[in-house]
Amino acid sequence: MTGQGPEAVAERHHEGAPVVPQHLSTSAFGTDHPIGVAVLGMGNVGTEVVKILREHAEEMRQRVGAPLVLRGVAVRRTGVDRGIPAELLTTDAEALVGREDVDLVVEVMGGIDPARALIGAALRAGKSVVTANKALLADYTGELAAAAERSRADLYFEAAVAGAIPVVRPLIQSLSGDRVDRVVGIVNGTTNFILSAMAETGADYHATLAEATRLGYAEADPTADVEGYDAAAKAAILASLAFHTRVTAADVYREGIARISAEDLETAAAVGCTVKLLAICERIPGELSVAEGGKDRVSVRVYPALIPLKHPLSSVDGAFNAVVVEAENAGRLMFYGQGAGGAPTASAVMGDLVMAARNKFYGGRAPGESVYAELPIAPFGDTPTRYHVNLQVADRTGVLQAVAGEFADHGVSISTVRQEGHGAGARLVVVTHHAQESALADTVAALAELESVTSVTSVLRLEGTEE
Amino acid sequence: MTGQGPEAVAERHHEGAPVVPQHLSTSAFGTDHPIGVAVLGMGNVGTEVVKILREHAEEMRQRVGAPLVLRGVAVRRTGVDRGIPAELLTTDAEALVGREDVDLVVEVMGGIDPARALIGAALRAGKSVVTANKALLADYTGELAAAAERSRADLYFEAAVAGAIPVVRPLIQSLSGDRVDRVVGIVNGTTNFILSAMAETGADYHATLAEATRLGYAEADPTADVEGYDAAAKAAILASLAFHTRVTAADVYREGIARISAEDLETAAAVGCTVKLLAICERIPGELSVAEGGKDRVSVRVYPALIPLKHPLSSVDGAFNAVVVEAENAGRLMFYGQGAGGAPTASAVMGDLVMAARNKFYGGRAPGESVYAELPIAPFGDTPTRYHVNLQVADRTGVLQAVAGEFADHGVSISTVRQEGHGAGARLVVVTHHAQESALADTVAALAELESVTSVTSVLRLEGTEE
């Protein structure tokens, strides 16, 4: 249809036939004209995407309106039998992306380089991109979204957060008429598997990590997962969408799970809680930030925390993921499902791919990056949190008074104190109300210096309470 | 921008400015040109939508790219103070929809007439429509979608199913590259409130319904809710989306909750289950339907059923809704949140409205109706279900044999049998494996005729088991 004037377009439109707006088509898309797809990477996810494209071609054609045709797959090494025709495989990803007959690019290779350059090249050429690359998006969404904007291409990334679970699209589209106050998620399957197993077996962190590695739930180098980098990248993406503000991985406060002990999980169970690695994206209302002129601020953080067993995230076990979104009008929503794995992630990729292909075919675009709100990032110390502190103390009169005094001196209000044991085993368990993170941290540091406090045996944050 | 040639459009496009494709704009949309909105109905939902449009105008402008301006609200009676300028109110919905400066129509009046005609008129005029009207959609989506298709307008209806919970958009978009096998939802808040309360208090159905009415959870005429009509309409919508097949309310097998007794809930608790009114949309694989030439069939049904306490839907209590979607690649997903109420439903309406407005402004369209699969609807009798049957029986030798014989004669395999009580209180509790609904129903009818069976005290279906 390229080259037809507006009249011809208008005519077809009155017949109810698919119309491709002039400016969107660089090649001519008709009902039988295929839409070419390049897949970059053939790991777990890429393999599943290729399989679906080949085995469900007719279904995809029906859903798009035109055939989706796999033009090629970029891999590190050819010559390995991957169950698809050898001529589809190439090590030259750049040439594949640049092919005239490639309209859509699926990036599932991961890592920053060369994914960043390849996606950039595709977008600059007006080719829509579907990516599952959270690390890349957490740092370079701005650059990639700008490239997409310039060429009117789409950048889709549902698969980058929480695998098969639709959470990116609901935040961008379904909640586009609401005000999101908080997003709290379990978005890393490895750490959730480890914490669930520790809670169940009573084993310590290192033994459980070893078991998770043996079972394939943790990678040989588990750093990105257990230190919270993976969750932090996803938190940055979620916060950007939720608050219409550009948030990068560097804006996310991050603690991993390596310091969580078997005793922490016992403590949790004793107080009707469990420990989860949470990605928390929170709007701090302007009235709490006079220094910022009353503008709302954004807090984004990843750390292991106690959550009450009655909280919906507490029962999300093993490799499952879940994301809770709290919005002004919608109230509390929860999205639950498989957050990783080849097939679930491929489901999210394919959903994006069908939408990107429909946009190519019918015209139209996915919503681009929305960062108009430009909310400032609150320093972690300003974040309101609650602490659950276990202290080993001297068994004598006045200890409680001294400990309570430290909390009061730092302006931290105590919710409950429990005294346990006697003699050398005497302990105090203190749960605070919400207070500024910095005040809580300072209080704990001061407690450690108290003569009557033998040791601070555990400090855990408490999330998901109504108080 | 109307009237500019393709060259002018192409030029703006290279500058990265918003482009309105020729064929999509009947009026000229520029960044300062407002998009006019008409709201039909000012009940709970309409009131919240109007409030958001007025109080969050700047946020909506940022998210759309142009101002969303409320042109008017159609109400049954003017002269009542509704907290908005009187000149915005009109009783002439038809004239409001027809106004030149109305680009988008929000229908939250409910009911078939006049909503059907008004939405039809809007769509025929190329005005996109956002509706929360499940009863209308369950019967007339085909007609309305065709009108939208002809004029290239959008028909959005996220709010029609499960209120604030994004489930329509995930089914249409996120899962568009996957194959959905099953959707099971708690999609009616009134019945879920009643069943949750019965389980908690032990009270009977009529007392609990009276209490629900008093608290505002049930309407004065609760028929649509308690008889399952509301859930059936939502099931038809969900099934249509899940299976790319037009399903109407008449295709849905429906039983309400009025026959659920306090004893049924006791029985449920005794076997580690609870009773929920479920909307079930299921793909019956072709290999089970040789008569249909091996084509997959669709079963859509609404009834109260036992579900195990470990099933994620069992803990969805009170007025909350949840929908579980099982797809080939995504696996099991769950969506949870507030399924009704003014503000939650308005959140869903506003999300659709922002997307419809963006499409008007930037060009592009929401995916239209997808019914290419045209899967046949399986008769309810062909549906595989499981039964949980309580029988009052004579306390004598041979009863179990006689009962087991009836199941065997109908080709129904028994999972467990439990004998309880003695003398006049002797009971048998039988749980079957999956069997054809018609065989199960015939078995129960035959049991009632057995001399040794005093009465069939309860028959409940069992859902959500792996078997």
Side-chain angles (χ1 to χ4, degrees), chain A residues 415-430:
Chain A
S415 168
T416 61
V417 182
R418 221 169 54 246
Q419 307 204 42
E420 291 177 354
H422 294 284
R427 299 198 308 154
L428 276 184
V429 180
V430 183

Side-chain angles (χ1 to χ4, degrees), chain B residues 51-72:
Chain B
K51 189 174 147 205
I52 297 166
L53 280 172
R54 289 164 54 84
E55 293 179 5
H56 293 280
E58 175 53 21
E59 263 166 299
M60 296 309 132
R61 189 184 71 74
Q62 292 281 3
R63 294 177 190 187
V64 169
L68 275 184
V69 177
L70 179 65
R71 300 298 189 196

Side-chain angles (χ1 to χ4, degrees), chain A residues 150-163:
Chain A
R150 277 191 294 273
S151 69
R152 317 296 300 161
D154 287 335
L155 175 65
Y156 278 108
F157 50 91
E158 182 65 78
V161 183

Side-chain angles (χ1 to χ4, degrees), chain A residues 13 52 56 59 62-63 152 169 173-174 176 178-179 328-329 333-334 336 344 347 358 364 367 372, chain B residues 13 52 56 59 62-63 152 169 173-174 176 178-179 328-329 333-334 336 344 347 351 358 364 367 372:
Chain A
H13 141 219
I52 296 166
H56 293 279
E59 264 166 297
Q62 293 280 4
R63 294 177 188 186
R152 317 296 300 161
R169 186 170 275 106
Q173 298 191 28
S174 308
S176 62
D178 207 334
R179 180 184 291 219
E328 185 173 277
N329 290 304
L333 302 169
M334 184 163 95
Y336 169 90
S347 171
R358 289 183 56 93
Y372 73 88
Chain B
H13 142 219
I52 297 166
H56 293 280
E59 263 166 299
Q62 292 281 3
R63 294 177 190 187
R152 318 297 299 161
R169 186 170 276 107
Q173 299 191 27
S174 309
S176 62
D178 207 334
R179 180 183 291 218
E328 186 173 276
N329 290 305
L333 302 170
M334 184 164 94
Y336 170 90
S347 171
R358 289 182 57 92
Y372 73 88

Side-chain angles (χ1 to χ4, degrees), chain A residues 61-384:
Chain A
R61 188 184 72 74
Q62 293 280 4
R63 294 177 188 186
V64 170
L68 275 183
V69 177
L70 180 65
R71 300 297 189 197
V73 184
V75 292
R76 237 174 265 172
R77 286 174 305 134
T78 52
V80 187
D81 180 13
R82 301 178 194 255
I84 63 170
E87 62 268 26
L88 284 174
L89 299 173
T90 175
T91 55
D92 191 345
E94 202 182 329
L96 176 60
V97 165
R99 273 173 62 164
E100 283 268 318
D101 61 355
V102 164
D103 306 293
L104 305 174
V105 174
V106 173
E107 186 274 304
V108 285
M109 63 206 305
I112 304 296
D113 294 314
R116 179 182 171 194
L118 292 167
I119 292 177
L123 292 172
R124 281 191 299 276
K127 303 179 182 197
S128 292
V129 172
V130 176
T131 174
N133 195 329
K134 53 239 160 200
L136 180 65
L137 290 163
D139 280 336
Y140 299 103
T141 292
E143 164 189 316
L144 301 177
E149 197 63 37
R150 277 191 294 273
S151 69
R152 317 296 300 161
D154 287 335
L155 175 65
Y156 278 108
F157 50 91
E158 182 65 78
V161 183
I165 310 169
V167 58
V168 167
R169 186 170 275 106
L171 279 171
I172 294 177
Q173 298 191 28
S174 308
L175 290 160
S176 62
D178 207 334
R179 180 184 291 219
V180 175
D181 293 317
R182 190 183 283 114
V183 180
V184 183
I186 294 173
V187 294
N188 179 272
T190 303
T191 49
N192 202 49
F193 176 87
I194 292 171
L195 292 173
S196 299
M198 286 174 71
E200 200 179 313
T201 64
D204 75 6
Y205 168 73
H206 292 286
T208 312
L209 171 60
E211 178 69 3
T213 309
R214 198 182 65 76
L215 293 172
Y217 286 105
E219 294 185 40
D221 176 359
T223 310
D225 292 316
V226 301
E227 294 301 333
Y229 291 100
D230 174 81
K234 292 166 179 170
I237 296 169
L238 291 173
S240 300
L241 304 178
F243 304 124
H244 299 268
T245 290
R246 192 170 295 151
V247 178
T248 65
D251 297 321
V252 183
Y253 175 83
R254 179 193 50 75
E255 289 177 20
I257 65 164
R259 285 189 307 171
I260 297 296
S261 64
E263 199 187 30
D264 286 334
L265 284 152
E266 271 171 42
T267 300
V271 296
C273 286
T274 189
V275 177
K276 295 291 184 188
L277 182 72
L278 299 178
I280 304 169
C281 315
E282 205 165 22
R283 178 190 296 273
I284 304 183
E287 54 264 35
L288 300 182
S289 60
V290 178
E292 299 282 342
K295 199 172 184 184
D296 288 357
R297 291 184 299 166
V298 167
S299 163
V300 193
R301 51 202 204 261
V302 169
Y303 47 61
L306 293 171
I307 53 170
L309 290 177
K310 61 172 200 248
H311 190 281
L313 289 177
S314 73
S315 55
V316 176
D317 280 330
F320 278 82
N321 278 194
V323 177
V324 168
V325 178
E326 293 171 26
E328 185 173 277
N329 290 304
R332 183 190 270 180
L333 302 169
M334 184 163 95
F335 307 83
Y336 169 90
Q338 294 186 62
T345 308
S347 171
V349 166
M350 287 304 304
D352 281 352
L353 190 62
V354 168
M355 287 302 118
R358 289 183 56 93
N359 287 345
K360 282 276 172 207
F361 183 66
Y362 289 105
R365 270 191 79 210
E369 192 187 25
S370 172
V371 292
Y372 73 88
E374 294 182 340
L375 301 182
I377 308 292
F380 181 57
D382 286 9
T383 303

